[in-house]
């Protein structure tokens, strides 16, 4: 299934008609450069174009009052003076004779997108719209927003498709207070937002934008705010919040639909956000949400005011929605102190509501919410210092790297008598191994002549790895008689001269792990029922699940809170996913793991499985081909000892691995 793209140039046909410094950045060119970038890059042609439509009155009334709608209906007939007058009653927003029409198109586009995804016409999609929506409220326009496009879409999805749980992820740099107010007492809609806050000194300066606004009454726990109290947040900060706050809760919530308030003013260069995260981060943020809700994801444009980073970020998002390989994120160095404080506060505020956050630490000593009563003097200093170093005009960043699709998505190396799963390309041709390699194999296996078919297998394996590294193939599935031996061989002999860093994810028990290196060429993360704490080192990280890999709750917690951060920090060139026989890992969890691991090494994942487990080749192939993993149904509360052990493991490892830091 494809990716929907909604865009209508009619939504570029309104603009600010008077002087208002707060609103001058919201210009038609925002939409034009975004769409043109998609056209120029060839991405728009790869999408399924869905027409915009006007939202009806009843659809708008799902969120807004009749009084407000009737008032906005009058604006097309207003004089310039009337428009100015009408605008005065709202904050940081402007009206125009054509904005009501465009606001209906923006909301209607979001609904068209929901229809396309919910009817299965497409898998996911994006609506490029203006005016944006997430600040508008029941009876008021605000922050360039007239109708709350995403809030209306959430209510619409519930009403028309009986969607039980909607996750709204708001990565715009402003707090979508309109969305928060709409759903704060509603447990069927989980709203997550990060936003520039600076202890309430940043617009819209609301006390209720802080981390302690967790929702009300039956909605308690279903509103997650992560305030950024400093500018300059980077990719590491965003990924830490996804791994340690959003994703654990999102998986536990298990949404039927994901809506994204896709604002790109959180990208580098934006005058509003003043952050330093690069456009390619949105490739990963999108990817990390794509295995939820069976892949049903609707992104709706909110903010984004630097026309260069906006266009690049939109392209990064669309390319991921289309299933293209992800760019490698370089030099992630862990979250900054302020970000750790914020995520620690958010985690501790929510630990009573979410069993996946149950073991979160207490809030930091310096409770950051009281800091907002800053002395005028301090504020004054900050502003002076801020000017020169914060000027975003001077910000430069590299073009996001090309994300080329290898000619072959998934290849397989199988025993001749095993049928190749649909969609996979069987790798049979294999060059003879160099004599040097054969001799290495021989003394590796301490057998005189490494038996024939083993040499064949390893030579095919070697060829596969060469093709992965050369980006001729994206990922591969290998079935071998002895998976432990094959793993050792791949790690020691077949990759040493081909890749710099191999992330080995070992699922299930393994006899000896004597190939662990200390030079960092290999990072092994093993998830099993065995307690291998005494063998732990910087590059060998055993995660022990009391009930083993069949405990999906513990497994996904370890993946989200440990494996993902480690993987991002380690930044491997190849991922070796080894399924030890008898691991007991549940199929949906196995597919989720393969899906999430695609975020590393440009998707170069090599799955090693034992021949006697060929029954799960089908689901493995499906995940390798990029089909969304099935949702993890009814996750139980993780076992306390596992949750606790994971927190302790993170604390012990965070000296070596900064991205594991969740406490300041
Ligand atoms: C959509 C949005 O969140 O980017 N609007 C920002 C309004 C800022 C007003 N000072
Ligand atoms: Zn914004």
């Amino acid at each position: 299934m494809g990716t929907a793209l909604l865009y209508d140039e009619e939504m570029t046909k309104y603009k600010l008609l008077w002087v208002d410094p707060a609103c001058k950045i919201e210009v038609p060119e925002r939409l034009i450069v975004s769409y043109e970038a998609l056209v120029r890059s060839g991405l728009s042609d790869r999408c399924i174009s869905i027409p915009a439509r006007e939202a009806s009155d009843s659809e708008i009334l799902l969120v807004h009052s009749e009084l407000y709608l009737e008032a906005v209906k009058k604006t097309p007939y207003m004089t310039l003076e009337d428009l100015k007058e009408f605008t005065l009653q709202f904050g940081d927003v402007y009206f125009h004779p054509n904005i009501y029409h465009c606001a209906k198109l923006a909301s209607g586009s979001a609904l068209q997108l929901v229809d396309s995804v919910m009817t299965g016409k497409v898998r996911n999609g994006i609506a490029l719209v203006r005016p944006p929506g997430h600040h508008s409220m029941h009876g008021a326009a605000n922050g360039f927003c007239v109708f709350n496009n995403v809030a209306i879409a959430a209510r619409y999805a519930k009403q028309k498709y009986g969607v039980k749980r909607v996750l709204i992820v708001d990565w715009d740099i402003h707090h979508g207070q309109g969305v928060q107010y709409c759903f704060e007492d509603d447990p069927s809609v989980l709203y997550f937002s990060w936003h520039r806050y600076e202890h309430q000194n940043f617009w819209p300066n609301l006390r209720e934008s802080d981390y302690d606004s967790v929702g009300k009454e039956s909605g308690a726990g279903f509103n997650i705010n992560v305030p950024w109290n400093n500018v300059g947040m980077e990719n590491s900060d965003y990924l830490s919040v996804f791994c340690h706050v959003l994703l654990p809760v999102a998986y536990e919530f298990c949404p039927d639909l994901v809506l994204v308030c896709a604002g790109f003013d959180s990208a580098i260069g934006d005058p509003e956000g003043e952050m330093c995260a690069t456009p390619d981060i949105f490739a990963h943020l999108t990817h990390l949400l794509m295995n939820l809700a069976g892949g049903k994801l609707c992104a709706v444009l909110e903010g984004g005011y630097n026309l260069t980073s906006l266009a690049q970020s939109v392209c990064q998002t669309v390319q991921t929605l289309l299933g293209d390989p992800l760019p490698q994120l370089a030099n992630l160095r862990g979250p900054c102190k302020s970000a750790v404080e914020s995520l620690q506060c958010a985690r501790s505020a929510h630990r009573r509501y979410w069993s996946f956050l149950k073991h979160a630490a207490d809030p930091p000593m310096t409770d950051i919410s009281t800091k907002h009563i800053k002395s005028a003097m301090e504020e004054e200093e900050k502003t002076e210092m801020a000017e020169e170093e914060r000027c975003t005009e001077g910000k430069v960043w590299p073009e996001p790297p090309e994300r080329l699709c290898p000619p072959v998505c998934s290849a397989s190396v199988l025993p001749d008598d095993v049928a190749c799963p649909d969609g996979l390309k069987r790798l049979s041709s294999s060059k003879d191994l160099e004599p040097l390699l054969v001799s290495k194999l021989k003394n590796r296996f301490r057998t005189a002549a490494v038996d024939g078919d083993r040499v064949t297998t390893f030579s095919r394996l070697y060829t596969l790895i060469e093709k992965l590294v050369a980006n001729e193939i994206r990922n591969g599935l290998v079935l071998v008689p002895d998976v432990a031996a094959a793993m050792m061989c791949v790690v020691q002999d077949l990759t040493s001269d081909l890749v710099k860093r191999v992330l080995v994810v070992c699922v299930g028990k393994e006899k000896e792990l004597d190939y662990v290196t200390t030079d960092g060429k290999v990072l092994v993360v093993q998830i099993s029922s065995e307690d291998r704490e005494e063998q732990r080192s910087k590059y060998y990280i055993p995660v022990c699940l009391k009930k083993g890999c069949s405990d999906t709750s513990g497994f996904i917690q370890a993946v989200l809170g440990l494996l993902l951060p480690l993987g991002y920090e380690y930044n491997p060139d190849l991922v070796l996913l080894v399924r030890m026989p008898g691991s007991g890992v549940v199929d949906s969890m196995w597919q989720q793991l393969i899906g999430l691991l695609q975020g590393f090494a440009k998707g170069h994942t090599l799955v090693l499985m034992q021949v006697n487990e060929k029954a799960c080749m089908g689901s493995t192939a499906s995940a390798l081909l990029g089909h969304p993993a099935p949702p993890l149904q009814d996750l139980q509360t993780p076992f306390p000892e596992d949750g606790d052990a994971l927190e302790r493991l993170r604390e012990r490892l965070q000296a070596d691995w900064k991205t594991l830091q969740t406490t300041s």
Side-chain angles (χ1 to χ4, degrees), residues 22-23 25-26 30 91-93 132-135 142-145 170 172-176 202-204 263-265 272 301-305:
C23 293
I25 53 175
E26 208 297 303
R30 297 179 53 235
D92 283 13
V93 62
H134 70 156
H135 296 301
N142 180 264
F144 314 150
C145 306
D170 189 336
D172 185 287
I173 206 59
H174 297 92
H175 179 220
F202 186 71
W203 189 91
F264 297 105
D265 41 16
E272 280 289 307
L301 181 67
E302 293 282 357
Y305 306 99

Side-chain angles (χ1 to χ4, degrees), residues 327-388:
Q328 280 182 284
L329 291 174
N331 55 53
L332 293 170
R333 50 204 179 95
C336 68
K337 187 174 182 322
S338 172
V340 173
E341 277 182 5
S342 297
L343 76 83
Q344 183 177 351
C345 285
R347 280 165 57 88
S348 61
H350 281 273
R351 67 182 165 187
R352 77 180 66 172
Y353 302 111
W354 299 100
S355 53
F356 279 26
L357 296 181
K358 192 163 182 307
H359 301 275
D362 297 334
M365 301 313 289
T366 58
D367 179 5
I368 62 176
S369 64
T370 56
K371 274 197 212 162
H372 66 271
I373 307 144
K374 275 183 154 335
S375 69
M377 178 59 194
E378 226 177 339
E379 200 45 41
E380 186 50 40
E381 259 164 31
K382 196 160 64 82
T383 317
E384 270 152 27
M385 173 267 288
E387 273 336 293
E388 63 284 353

Side-chain angles (χ1 to χ4, degrees), residues 457-527:
T457 304
F458 285 137
S459 62
R460 286 178 183 164
L461 198 41
Y462 189 78
T463 308
L464 173 52
I465 294 168
E466 276 183 322
K467 289 179 181 301
L468 288 175
V469 171
N471 214 32
E472 292 168 32
I473 295 175
R474 185 189 305 209
N475 55 45
L477 165 60
V478 178
L479 235 53
V480 287
D482 175 350
V483 78
M487 171 167 57
M488 215 159 49
C489 173
V490 170
V491 167
Q492 237 114 36
D493 305 318
L494 300 185
T495 52
S496 48
D497 56 349
L498 286 174
V499 290
K500 289 193 296 293
R501 289 182 303 281
V502 183
L503 168 64
V504 179
V505 181
C506 186
V507 173
K509 272 186 250 185
E510 210 279 340
K511 293 180 293 302
E512 76 289 331
L513 288 148
D514 62 359
Y515 47 79
V516 179
T517 58
T518 53
D519 63 1
K521 273 186 68 68
V522 180
L523 167 62
V524 179
V525 177
Q526 179 173 15
I527 302 177

